Coordinates of all heavy atoms in Angstrom, one line a residue:
P173 N -1.8 -33.0 2.3 CA -1.7 -34.3 3.0 C -0.6 -35.2 2.5 O -0.4 -35.3 1.3 CB -3.0 -35.0 2.8 CG -4.0 -33.8 2.5 CD -3.2 -32.8 1.7
G174 N 0.2 -35.7 3.4 CA 1.3 -36.6 3.0 C 2.6 -35.9 2.7 O 3.6 -36.6 2.5
L175 N 2.6 -34.6 2.5 CA 3.8 -33.9 2.1 C 4.7 -33.6 3.3 O 4.2 -33.2 4.4 CB 3.4 -32.6 1.4 CG 4.6 -31.8 0.8 CD1 5.1 -32.4 -0.4 CD2 4.1 -30.3 0.5
I176 N 6.0 -33.8 3.2 CA 6.9 -33.6 4.3 C 6.9 -32.1 4.7 O 6.8 -31.2 3.8 CB 8.3 -34.0 4.0 CG1 9.2 -34.0 5.2 CG2 8.9 -33.2 2.8 CD1 10.6 -34.7 5.0
K177 N 6.9 -31.8 6.0 CA 7.0 -30.4 6.4 C 8.4 -29.8 6.0 O 9.4 -30.5 6.0 CB 6.9 -30.3 7.9 CG 5.5 -30.8 8.5 CD 4.4 -29.9 8.1 CE 3.1 -30.3 8.8 NZ 2.0 -29.5 8.5
T178 N 8.4 -28.5 5.7 CA 9.6 -27.9 5.2 C 10.7 -27.9 6.2 O 11.9 -28.1 5.9 CB 9.3 -26.5 4.7 OG1 8.3 -26.5 3.7 CG2 10.6 -25.8 4.2
R179 N 10.4 -27.8 7.5 CA 11.4 -27.8 8.5 C 12.1 -29.2 8.5 O 13.4 -29.2 8.5 CB 10.8 -27.5 9.9 CG 11.8 -27.7 11.0 CD 11.4 -27.0 12.3 NE 10.1 -27.4 12.8 CZ 9.5 -26.9 13.8 NH1 10.1 -26.0 14.6 NH2 8.3 -27.3 14.2
T180 N 11.3 -30.2 8.4 CA 11.9 -31.6 8.4 C 12.7 -31.8 7.1 O 13.8 -32.4 7.1 CB 10.8 -32.6 8.5 OG1 10.0 -32.4 9.7 CG2 11.4 -34.0 8.5
L181 N 12.2 -31.3 6.0 CA 12.9 -31.4 4.7 C 14.2 -30.8 4.8 O 15.3 -31.3 4.3 CB 12.0 -30.8 3.6 CG 12.7 -30.7 2.2 CD1 13.0 -32.1 1.7 CD2 11.9 -29.9 1.3
L182 N 14.3 -29.6 5.3 CA 15.6 -28.9 5.4 C 16.5 -29.5 6.4 O 17.8 -29.5 6.2 CB 15.3 -27.4 5.8 CG 14.6 -26.6 4.8 CD1 14.3 -25.2 5.3 CD2 15.4 -26.5 3.4
Q183 N 16.0 -30.1 7.5 CA 16.9 -30.8 8.4 C 17.5 -32.0 7.7 O 18.6 -32.4 7.9 CB 16.1 -31.2 9.6 CG 15.7 -30.0 10.5 CD 14.7 -30.4 11.6 OE1 13.9 -31.3 11.5 NE2 14.7 -29.6 12.7
C184 N 16.7 -32.7 6.9 CA 17.2 -33.8 6.1 C 18.1 -33.4 5.0 O 19.2 -34.1 4.8 CB 16.0 -34.6 5.5 SG 14.9 -35.4 6.6
L185 N 17.9 -32.3 4.4 CA 18.8 -31.8 3.4 C 20.1 -31.4 4.1 O 21.2 -31.6 3.5 CB 18.2 -30.5 2.7 CG 19.0 -29.9 1.6 CD1 19.2 -30.8 0.5 CD2 18.3 -28.6 1.1
Q186 N 20.1 -30.9 5.3 CA 21.3 -30.6 6.0 C 22.2 -31.8 6.2 O 23.4 -31.7 6.1 CB 20.9 -30.0 7.4 CG 22.1 -29.5 8.2 CD 21.6 -29.1 9.6 OE1 20.8 -29.7 10.2 NE2 22.2 -28.0 10.1
S187 N 21.5 -32.9 6.5 CA 22.2 -34.2 6.7 C 22.4 -35.0 5.4 O 22.8 -36.2 5.5 CB 21.6 -35.0 7.8 OG 20.2 -35.3 7.4
R188 N 21.9 -34.5 4.3 CA 22.0 -35.1 3.0 C 21.2 -36.4 3.0 O 21.7 -37.4 2.4 CB 23.5 -35.4 2.6 CG 24.4 -34.2 2.7 CD 24.2 -33.3 1.5 NE 24.9 -32.0 1.7 CZ 25.0 -31.1 0.7 NH1 24.5 -31.3 -0.5 NH2 25.7 -30.0 0.9
Q189 N 20.1 -36.4 3.6 CA 19.2 -37.6 3.6 C 17.8 -37.3 3.1 O 16.8 -37.4 3.9 CB 19.2 -38.2 5.0 CG 20.5 -38.6 5.5 CD 20.5 -39.2 6.9 OE1 19.5 -38.9 7.7 NE2 21.5 -39.8 7.4
V190 N 17.7 -36.9 1.9 CA 16.4 -36.4 1.3 C 15.8 -37.4 0.3 O 14.7 -37.2 -0.2 CB 16.5 -35.0 0.8 CG1 16.8 -34.0 1.8 CG2 17.5 -34.9 -0.4
D191 N 16.6 -38.3 -0.2 CA 16.1 -39.2 -1.2 C 14.9 -40.0 -0.7 O 14.9 -40.5 0.4 CB 17.2 -40.2 -1.6 CG 18.4 -39.5 -2.3 OD1 18.2 -38.5 -2.9 OD2 19.5 -40.1 -2.3
G192 N 13.9 -40.0 -1.6 CA 12.7 -40.8 -1.2 C 11.6 -40.0 -0.4 O 10.6 -40.5 -0.2
L193 N 12.0 -38.8 0.0 CA 11.0 -38.0 0.8 C 10.0 -37.4 -0.2 O 10.2 -37.0 -1.3 CB 11.7 -36.9 1.5 CG 12.7 -37.3 2.6 CD1 13.4 -36.1 3.2 CD2 12.1 -38.2 3.6
A194 N 8.7 -37.3 0.3 CA 7.6 -36.7 -0.5 C 7.6 -35.2 -0.3 O 7.0 -34.7 0.5 CB 6.3 -37.3 0.0
S195 N 8.4 -34.6 -1.2 CA 8.5 -33.1 -1.2 C 8.0 -32.6 -2.6 O 7.7 -33.3 -3.5 CB 9.9 -32.6 -0.9 OG 10.7 -32.7 -2.1
M196 N 7.9 -31.3 -2.7 CA 7.5 -30.6 -3.9 C 8.7 -30.3 -4.8 O 8.6 -29.7 -5.9 CB 6.8 -29.3 -3.6 CG 5.4 -29.5 -3.0 SD 4.3 -30.5 -3.9 CE 4.0 -29.4 -5.3
L197 N 9.9 -30.7 -4.4 CA 11.1 -30.4 -5.1 C 11.2 -31.4 -6.3 O 11.0 -32.6 -6.2 CB 12.4 -30.6 -4.3 CG 12.6 -29.5 -3.2 CD1 13.7 -29.9 -2.3 CD2 12.8 -28.1 -3.7
Q198 N 11.5 -30.8 -7.5 CA 11.7 -31.6 -8.7 C 13.1 -32.2 -8.6 O 13.9 -31.8 -7.9 CB 11.5 -30.8 -9.9 CG 10.0 -30.3 -10.1 CD 9.8 -29.4 -11.3 OE1 10.8 -29.0 -12.0 NE2 8.6 -29.2 -11.7
V199 N 13.3 -33.3 -9.4 CA 14.5 -34.0 -9.4 C 15.7 -33.1 -9.7 O 16.7 -33.1 -9.0 CB 14.5 -35.2 -10.4 CG1 15.9 -35.8 -10.5 CG2 13.5 -36.2 -10.0
D200 N 15.6 -32.2 -10.7 CA 16.7 -31.3 -11.0 C 16.9 -30.2 -10.0 O 18.0 -29.8 -9.7 CB 16.5 -30.7 -12.4 CG 15.2 -29.9 -12.5 OD1 14.2 -30.2 -11.7 OD2 15.1 -28.9 -13.3
E201 N 15.8 -29.8 -9.3 CA 15.9 -28.8 -8.2 C 16.6 -29.4 -7.0 O 17.5 -28.8 -6.4 CB 14.5 -28.3 -7.8 CG 13.8 -27.5 -8.9 CD 12.4 -27.3 -8.6 OE1 11.8 -27.9 -7.7 OE2 11.8 -26.4 -9.3
L202 N 16.3 -30.6 -6.7 CA 16.9 -31.3 -5.6 C 18.4 -31.5 -5.9 O 19.3 -31.3 -5.0 CB 16.3 -32.6 -5.3 CG 16.8 -33.5 -4.1 CD1 16.7 -32.6 -2.8 CD2 15.9 -34.7 -4.0
A203 N 18.8 -31.9 -7.1 CA 20.2 -32.1 -7.5 C 20.9 -30.8 -7.3 O 22.1 -30.8 -6.9 CB 20.3 -32.7 -8.9
Y204 N 20.3 -29.7 -7.8 CA 20.9 -28.4 -7.7 C 21.2 -28.0 -6.2 O 22.3 -27.5 -5.9 CB 20.1 -27.3 -8.3 CG 20.7 -26.0 -8.5 CD1 21.5 -25.7 -9.6 CD2 20.6 -25.0 -7.5 CE1 22.1 -24.4 -9.7 CE2 21.2 -23.8 -7.6 CZ 21.9 -23.5 -8.7 OH 22.6 -22.3 -8.8
L205 N 20.2 -28.3 -5.4 CA 20.4 -28.0 -3.9 C 21.5 -28.8 -3.4 O 22.4 -28.3 -2.6 CB 19.1 -28.2 -3.2 CG 18.0 -27.2 -3.4 CD1 16.7 -27.7 -2.9 CD2 18.3 -25.9 -2.7
H206 N 21.6 -30.1 -3.7 CA 22.6 -31.0 -3.2 C 24.0 -30.4 -3.5 O 24.9 -30.4 -2.7 CB 22.5 -32.4 -3.8 CG 21.7 -33.3 -3.0 ND1 22.0 -33.6 -1.6 CD2 20.6 -34.1 -3.2 CE1 21.2 -34.5 -1.1 NE2 20.3 -34.8 -2.1
H207 N 24.1 -29.9 -4.7 CA 25.4 -29.4 -5.2 C 25.8 -28.1 -4.7 O 27.0 -27.8 -4.6 CB 25.4 -29.5 -6.8 CG 26.8 -29.1 -7.4 ND1 27.8 -30.0 -7.3 CD2 27.2 -28.0 -8.0 CE1 28.9 -29.5 -7.9 NE2 28.5 -28.3 -8.4
H208 N 24.8 -27.2 -4.5 CA 25.1 -25.8 -4.2 C 24.9 -25.3 -2.8 O 25.3 -24.2 -2.5 CB 24.3 -24.9 -5.2 CG 24.8 -25.0 -6.6 ND1 24.2 -25.9 -7.5 CD2 25.7 -24.3 -7.3 CE1 24.8 -25.7 -8.7 NE2 25.7 -24.8 -8.6
V209 N 24.3 -26.1 -2.0 CA 24.1 -25.7 -0.6 C 25.4 -25.9 0.2 O 25.9 -27.0 0.2 CB 22.9 -26.5 0.1 CG1 23.0 -26.3 1.6 CG2 21.6 -26.1 -0.5

Side-chain angles (χ1 to χ4, degrees):
L175 187 72
I176 190 171
K177 299 289 186 182
T178 302
R179 174 163 52 184
T180 305
L181 174 65
L182 293 177
Q183 290 169 337
C184 292
L185 182 62
Q186 181 187 43
S187 60
R188 306 287 173 171
Q189 297 177 347
V190 295
D191 293 337
L193 297 179
S195 78
M196 294 299 294
L197 293 172
Q198 296 180 346
V199 173
D200 59 332
E201 294 170 345
L202 183 55
Y204 187 89
L205 287 165
H206 266 306
H207 186 70
H208 289 91
V209 168

